Amino acid sequence: MKILSTSYTHSQGFRALKRLHRSVIHNRVLPNDLHKLYKALIHFERYIERLAHQQSDLKKKFKQK
């Protein structure tokens, strides 16, 4: 997984916060680890977006043939 140094979008931050909130509700996270987990989740959200974009590009490429 490649970590990019550009800023995050509002939607990426919101989705990461939503995942973090779900984890807190289910008691899967210690309070000391909230900041670390949020940083990891925001990177994860960006990674998921890039994968989805690559998949859509591949689908378009195969439709053209």
Side-chain angles (χ1 to χ4, degrees):
M1 182 168 102
K2 183 178 176 183
I3 296 178
L4 301 174
S5 62
T6 59
S7 62
Y8 302 102
T9 64
H10 178 70
S11 62
Q12 290 169 339
F14 183 72
R15 285 193 307 266
L17 196 57
K18 207 163 117 177
R19 285 179 190 269
L20 184 62
H21 186 251
R22 254 186 264 140
S23 297
V24 168
I25 288 173
H26 294 285
N27 291 326
R28 296 180 187 159
V29 179
L30 296 175
N32 297 340
D33 296 333
L34 287 175
H35 185 68
K36 282 190 248 177
L37 186 58
Y38 178 71
K39 286 174 70 173
L41 285 172
I42 204 162
H43 284 291
F44 181 66
E45 288 299 332
R46 180 184 284 167
Y47 179 67
I48 289 174
E49 265 188 23
R50 282 196 359 245
L51 283 179
H53 183 69
Q54 288 174 358
Q55 281 182 337
S56 67
D57 287 347
L58 283 175
K59 286 180 183 178
K60 288 178 187 175
K61 191 176 185 179
F62 285 117
K63 278 186 177 181
Q64 291 176 354
K65 289 183 179 183

